[in-house]
Amino acid sequence: MSWVSERPGGQEPAAAETEYVPYALDDTLKEQIRVQAQIEGIEEKVNDLYALVMVESGGSGEDVFQASESLGLKPDSLSRDESIQQGVRYYAQLLNEGSALGADQDCIFQAYNYGKDFLYYAADRGGIYSFEMAQEYAAQKAYHVRVDYNNPIAVSENGGWRYAYGNMFYVQLIHQALDALDE
């Protein structure tokens, strides 16, 4: 399995992130995530958290969860420990808010990439994720501006583009990472 790291909020990935290579998280990082998940009371969601890191950064760099933007900070401004703490905390918040709104798990995954406002958008549309909903949201946020996106999922779906806001393919990437974890 292979996927590409993405940056929330539509920021283009760095050149190294556009190469499609499989990522494996090191045991130290996995343990740090597991401990933080236990602190936040979401230890049953640890594979989701691993998948988020796999898609966001492949486990490399400091801000492995790309969580700085969830605090309103510039991208990549958190240390590894801060990123793990904030990424897990933010995901726990999305789980709670999504559950309260009746949003399904895939809406919660997409909200990690788009921001929590996506949960309200999804809830207003029944709370059941669809790719069309994610695409519509990104189109609105990006004013229909498209960018090239040479990810195999996108190439297969639409010839290789996404809207210039977040990643409308995020849920597919997360499921690809979850499948890789199950192998």
Side-chain angles (χ1 to χ4, degrees):
M1 268 321 133
S2 61
W3 50 89
V4 66
S5 302
E6 289 306 319
R7 306 258 184 222
Q11 183 186 15
E12 290 299 316
E17 295 174 319
T18 60
E19 294 180 24
Y20 306 110
V21 294
Y23 294 109
L25 303 181
D26 67 59
D27 290 340
T28 301
L29 177 59
K30 288 171 89 170
E31 179 61 14
Q32 289 174 296
I33 292 168
R34 189 196 63 71
V35 168
Q36 192 63 42
Q38 189 173 22
I39 290 168
E40 294 296 332
I42 59 168
E43 53 274 0
E44 75 283 357
K45 295 292 189 176
V46 73
N47 274 356
D48 292 358
L49 294 164
Y50 296 159
L52 288 169
V53 169
M54 290 165 78
V55 171
E56 290 292 337
S57 69
S60 64
E62 288 293 306
D63 194 355
V64 293
F65 272 95
Q66 294 298 299
S68 54
E69 292 172 88
S70 68
L71 290 169
L73 303 172
K74 65 180 181 148
D76 296 320
S77 59
L78 295 179
S79 71
R80 180 171 260 208
D81 290 343
E82 292 168 331
S83 182
I84 292 167
Q85 185 176 50
Q86 176 57 22
V88 174
R89 180 182 303 129
Y90 183 60
Y91 186 64
Q93 291 168 353
L94 292 174
L95 286 167
N96 289 332
E97 203 156 345
S99 177
L101 291 168
D104 69 10
Q105 180 61 56
D106 284 343
C107 288
I108 293 164
F109 285 140
Q110 190 66 61
Y112 190 88
N113 179 256
Y114 282 166
K116 74 176 183 172
D117 287 346
F118 181 75
L119 293 175
Y120 293 90
Y121 182 86
D124 287 346
R125 287 154 182 78
I128 306 299
Y129 173 86
S130 71
F131 176 73
E132 292 75 22
M133 182 193 309
Q135 186 172 353
E136 177 184 288
Y137 185 84
Q140 290 175 14
K141 293 291 188 176
Y143 302 101
H144 295 272
V145 174
R146 294 179 180 184
V147 295
D148 290 339
Y149 184 50
N150 191 27
N151 180 284
I153 294 172
V155 170
S156 174
E157 177 71 28
N158 65 20
W161 62 269
R162 64 177 175 79
Y163 286 106
Y165 180 86
N167 188 336
M168 62 197 197
F169 297 101
Y170 195 76
V171 169
Q172 291 93 322
L173 294 169
I174 291 293
H175 282 282
Q176 191 176 48
L178 287 168
D179 290 346
L181 287 166
D182 287 340
E183 292 177 357

